[in-house]
Amino acid sequence: MPGDLAKTGSEASSLSQSSPPRSPRRQIYYVQSPSRDSHDGEKTTNSFNSTPVLSPTHSHSNSSLGPHSSRESSSTRLSKHHGSRKPRTNKQSWKEFDAIEEEALLDGEAAHHALHRRRCYFLSFLVGFFVLFTTFSLILWGASRPQKPKITMKSISFNEFVVQAGADFSGVSTEMVSMNCTVKLTYRNTATFFGVHVTSTPLHLSYSQLTVATGSIHKFYQSRKSQRALIVMMEGSHIPLYGGGASLASLNGAPTQPVPLTLDFMVRSRAYVLGKLVKPKFYKRIQCWVTMDPKKMSKAISLKNKCSYS
């Protein structure tokens, strides 16, 4: 046992001699660095970085430590760098959020104003177009009104006029008239920038308010600043006169004295100046008072100054 103790003591002394002398204990202090702000608006908490920093009094002895000293110095610099950064507060975060939100609101408001302006421009265009189109249409309508067509009655000729006894469809005995005649007239379109479509009511030739002959004008189109001559055939067959025939004297079916007759009809003209939007209409009623002379059969009888136009 004394020999083992002596051996153990010698081994301990040899180990203490072979191991390098330990450096004196270094003083260590800690740097306090604040943590980042939380996004949920809670209070900031300070955390301690456990990075050791060597005391300046031992800087000379630390230089002999090699890589350990470089790592400690780099951690010291990082700690100082983190410590130098100013902490972000909730107020700054809310300011940034408010700025972003305000910018988004401004962008949305600008887009809304731009859309509103486009709508206003479109509505203004529609209103302006409607006003201009309406004004143009009224100008055309006003310019077309004075350009009325002109109708002139030329003549009438009686080819046949026969009076004879007979009976109507119910068997009542009465004087009956059969006749035919030809009416000539001219139609002139005085318009300078539009044509007209022309129709007419049936022509009636009456004696003592009884129609003894009828005729019609076929529909036609008359171009601007032009005219045409019209010929209308009128006829009547076995027209009962009833009481009106009492004053109508005849010999062998031919009247022995002049017979007063009245010609009546209406001419309708329509122009399409701007499609169906501007279509002025012109109506002309014509009445002529003519006398059938048995001595002038088949001869043209002038209607000048014998007609009224309304």
Side-chain angles (χ1 to χ4, degrees):
M1 291 297 292
D4 294 336
L5 291 174
K7 185 177 180 179
T8 304
S10 63
E11 289 177 356
S13 61
S14 63
L15 287 173
S16 61
Q17 291 177 0
S18 61
S19 60
R22 293 184 180 179
S23 60
R25 180 178 294 273
R26 295 187 298 272
Q27 296 181 2
I28 298 174
Y29 67 94
Y30 295 87
V31 177
Q32 179 180 357
S33 61
S35 63
R36 292 179 178 268
D37 298 333
S38 60
H39 294 284
D40 54 357
E42 296 180 355
K43 295 183 179 180
T44 57
T45 57
N46 294 332
S47 62
F48 293 94
N49 292 333
S50 60
T51 304
V53 180
L54 299 179
S55 174
T57 57
H58 298 84
S59 60
H60 177 73
S61 61
N62 292 338
S63 61
S64 62
L65 297 179
H68 297 284
S69 176
S70 63
R71 284 196 298 270
E72 290 177 355
S73 62
S74 63
S75 63
T76 303
R77 287 195 298 270
L78 290 175
S79 299
K80 289 182 179 181
H81 175 71
H82 287 297
S84 63
R85 292 181 60 182
K86 295 182 178 180
R88 296 177 60 185
T89 62
N90 288 334
K91 186 174 183 181
Q92 290 178 340
S93 300
W94 281 111
K95 284 184 178 179
E96 292 178 0
F97 178 76
D98 291 341
I100 295 174
E101 185 178 7
E102 183 176 1
E103 184 179 358
L105 290 175
L106 290 175
D107 292 340
E109 186 175 358
H112 177 72
H113 286 322
L115 179 61
H116 182 69
R117 283 197 301 270
R118 285 196 293 269
R119 289 178 179 175
C120 291
Y121 293 154
F122 181 71
L123 291 177
S124 301
F125 172 76
L126 287 181
V127 173
F129 177 78
F130 178 77
V131 171
L132 290 177
F133 185 78
T134 303
T135 304
F136 180 68
S137 301
L138 290 175
I139 291 174
L140 288 179
W141 181 83
S144 64
R145 293 302 299 172
Q147 303 184 36
K148 298 178 180 180
K150 186 177 181 180
I151 302 171
T152 304
M153 302 299 298
K154 291 296 186 179
S155 64
I156 183 171
S157 59
F158 296 95
N159 304 317
E160 179 185 11
F161 198 98
V162 177
V163 180
Q164 59 186 4
D168 62 3
F169 63 92
S170 62
V172 177
S173 298
T174 182
E175 296 289 334
M176 306 188 75
V177 173
S178 296
M179 66 162 295
N180 64 74
C181 63
T182 303
V183 178
K184 294 181 180 180
L185 66 150
T186 58
Y187 182 95
R188 182 185 178 190
N189 181 15
T190 61
T192 58
F193 60 92
F194 60 87
V196 291
H197 299 265
V198 184
T199 58
S200 171
T201 61
L203 283 72
H204 293 275
L205 188 63
S206 58
Y207 168 74
S208 186
Q209 299 183 353
L210 295 173
T211 300
V212 294
T214 59
S216 62
I217 299 175
H218 298 289
K219 181 180 179 180
F220 64 91
Y221 174 80
Q222 193 66 36
S223 60
R224 61 186 183 90
K225 299 184 67 174
S226 62
Q227 70 177 22
R228 71 171 61 193
L230 301 173
I231 299 176
V232 183
M233 301 296 297
M234 302 182 66
E235 63 180 0
S237 178
H238 298 89
I239 305 299
L241 297 178
Y242 300 108
S247 60
L248 185 59
S250 62
L251 180 62
N252 298 325
T256 57
Q257 56 186 0
V259 179
L261 300 170
T262 302
L263 179 64
D264 183 22
F265 67 101
M266 179 181 288
V267 178
R268 295 187 291 257
S269 305
R270 175 178 294 180
Y272 296 95
V273 180
L274 191 62
K276 292 186 177 182
L277 297 177
V278 180
K279 47 181 182 180
K281 301 175 184 179
F282 307 96
Y283 297 95
K284 184 79 70 174
R285 184 176 181 180
I286 302 170
Q287 284 184 312
C288 300
W289 296 269
V290 62
T291 300
M292 192 282 298
D293 191 349
K295 297 178 181 180
K296 296 181 179 180
M297 296 297 292
S298 301
K299 292 182 179 180
I301 301 173
S302 177
L303 295 177
K304 186 178 181 179
N305 300 326
K306 295 181 179 180
C307 299
S308 67
Y309 306 89
S310 59

